[in-house]
Amino acid sequence: MSKLIDRKSVVLIHGWGGSTHSVWNSNGWLDLLRNAGFDPVGIDLLGHGDALRSHDPARYADLASEVIAQLPDDQVLLGIGYSLGCKVLLEIETRQPGRFAALVLGGLGGNVYAPEALGAVVAQCLEDGIPDEAPPVAKMLARYGVSAGNDPLAIAACLRREPNPSLTPERLRAVKCPVLLVSGDADTVAFPVDLLADSITQSSVQILPGVDHLHLPENKDFKAAALRFLAAS
C-alpha cells in the first residue's frame, strides 16, 4: 500500500449519456475503490449528471478543460475511464504528460480515432422523440442517456459539438503513464483495440469474454483488473 500514499486519488470519468452515479456508483466502483485504500473522485462530464447542463453545442467545445478545472490538487493522479471518458483522460494526459501515474480505460479502442457513430441520429431522437423508423442502436443509446437521469437536450447538444477530444497516434505518443485497455469481445464499438494499443508506449490489453459495450462497467472482471493494475502502478 505504500505506493498509494502520494497518489491515492482515482479520477473516474463516465461515457456519453452516463453519469458518475449511473456508471460508477450504481455499479459499486466507488465503494470498491475506497475499500482498497483509494480515494475515488467521480467527475461528471459537461451536460451530464450533476454538471452544468447547456443546450448549446458550442458550450461543449473542450470537454477536457472542463474536467481539468475539477481535478484534485494531488500532484499525480490515477484515472479510470469508460468510453468517452477514456478519450477525455487521454486528452488530459497528452496535454499534461505525467499528470496521471496510470490509466485504466474501458470500452475504448479503434473508436478513439472515429467520429461518434450515429451521433446526429441519436441527438435527433433526444430532441424530437424516438421515431419508429430510427435504427435500433440509436433508440437504445437515446434511452440509455435518458435512463441515467440526464437532460435529453443537454446530452443531444453534447453529441452535436465540434469533435473533441481529437486524438491522433502522433498526439498519443505524449502519454507517459502505463495504460490498461479493457474491452469485452462483444464490444463492437471499441474493436479493434490494437489500433489504440499500438499508439501508446506503455499499453496492455485485457479482453473479457461475452461482454458488450454497455455492460462493461458492471462486469466484475473489469473491476478486478482495474484494481490490480492501479495497485501495481
Side-chain angles (χ1 to χ4, degrees), residues 200-222:
I200 298 175
T201 303
Q202 298 186 70
S203 67
S204 54
V205 176
Q206 182 158 345
I207 304 299
L208 306 178
V211 182
D212 63 19
H213 191 73
L214 288 182
H215 291 92
L216 181 62
E218 67 191 49
N219 184 268
K220 63 179 178 60
D221 294 325
F222 178 25

Side-chain angles (χ1 to χ4, degrees), residues 36-176:
F38 296 95
D39 180 20
V41 180
I43 298 178
D44 285 325
L45 293 173
L46 187 66
H48 296 71
D50 294 329
L52 175 70
R53 301 181 178 193
S54 173
H55 297 170
D56 180 4
R59 185 65 180 79
Y60 298 84
D62 190 354
L63 295 177
S65 286
E66 300 285 343
V67 172
I68 288 171
Q70 302 175 69
L71 290 176
D73 292 333
D74 306 48
Q75 185 175 359
V76 181
L77 302 166
L78 301 166
I80 303 176
Y82 169 59
S83 200
L84 176 58
C86 301
K87 291 185 180 182
V88 172
L89 287 171
L90 284 174
E91 175 67 25
I92 295 170
E93 179 64 15
T94 62
R95 294 185 193 182
Q96 303 176 3
R99 188 71 174 95
F100 291 98
L103 292 174
V104 177
L105 307 179
L108 191 71
N111 54 323
V112 70
Y113 304 126
E116 289 166 358
L118 296 175
V121 177
V122 176
Q124 192 74 42
C125 290
L126 290 163
E127 293 160 349
D128 300 332
I130 302 175
D132 292 338
E133 64 273 16
V137 175
K139 293 179 180 179
M140 177 184 66
L141 290 172
R143 290 171 180 144
Y144 168 78
V146 174
S147 70
N150 292 311
D151 174 357
L153 296 183
I155 58 175
C158 183
L159 283 174
R160 294 194 184 279
R161 73 192 187 281
E162 286 297 313
N164 80 94
S166 182
L167 296 161
T168 64
E170 292 73 24
R171 291 194 68 221
L172 286 171
R173 292 192 186 104
V175 174
K176 301 300 183 185

